[in-house]
């Protein structure tokens, strides 16, 4: 497949499964989707990913990011395993980020520095 390398981000640490796809180069905005799956994540994970990025385009993924929790164990684990398997098969980098860290950065007061842990 041709086209720019893509970044795929996955988050399932809550009742809502969310994902985003963005070209790693250029100014194109990310395509974002969320699905209120709850306990249906194990059945619908691949369908939801393919809705935003069809499987025949997965070879364009150049980098993967996955939320590592805190959150529901099963949902988070499914998404981490999916991301790890995909990254391994595509031989691309996989980055895990804490959902708590992402929230903390967003909630810090403007102008206030976030302490490094």
């Amino acid at each position: 497949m041709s086209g720019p390398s893509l970044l795929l981000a996955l988050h399932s640490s809550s009742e809502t499964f969310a994902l985003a796809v963005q070209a790693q180069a250029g100014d194109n905005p990310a395509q974002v989707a969320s699905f209120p799956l709850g306990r249906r994540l194990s059945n619908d994970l691949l369908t939801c990913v393919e809705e935003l990025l069809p499987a025949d385009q997965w070879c364009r993924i150049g980098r993967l990011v996955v939320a590592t929790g805190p959150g529901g164990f099963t949902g988070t684990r499914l998404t981490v395993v999916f991301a790890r398997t995909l990254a391994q098969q595509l031989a691309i980098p996989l980055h895990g980020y804490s959902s708590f860290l992402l929230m903390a950065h967003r909630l810090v007061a403007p102008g206030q520095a976030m302490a490094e842990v």
Side-chain angles (χ1 to χ4, degrees):
M1 291 281 139
S2 63
S5 181
L6 301 174
L7 168 73
L8 175 63
L10 306 165
H11 182 282
S12 65
S13 298
S14 68
E15 293 291 310
T16 300
F17 174 58
L19 62 155
V21 176
Q22 183 172 27
Q24 291 192 77
D27 297 335
N28 295 338
Q31 295 175 288
V32 180
S34 62
F35 304 89
L37 296 178
R39 294 181 182 264
R40 294 187 336 265
L41 180 66
S42 60
N43 295 326
D44 297 338
L45 174 68
L46 292 175
T47 304
C48 294
V49 173
E50 284 194 275
E51 189 172 312
L52 192 64
L53 185 65
D56 66 352
Q57 298 288 308
W58 291 3
C59 60
R60 291 183 52 205
I61 300 170
R63 181 164 292 206
L64 267 163
V65 178
V66 66
T68 58
F73 176 78
T74 303
T76 302
R77 180 81 173 162
L78 282 169
T79 306
V80 168
V81 168
F82 170 72
R84 185 170 183 222
T85 302
L86 192 56
Q88 185 178 37
Q89 292 302 306
L90 296 173
I92 59 174
L94 172 62
H95 306 279
Y97 284 93
S98 163
S99 300
F100 180 72
L101 181 62
L102 296 173
M103 289 184 291
H105 279 289
R106 190 178 66 219
L107 297 174
V108 121
Q112 182 181 4
M114 179 111 175
E116 292 295 322
V117 178

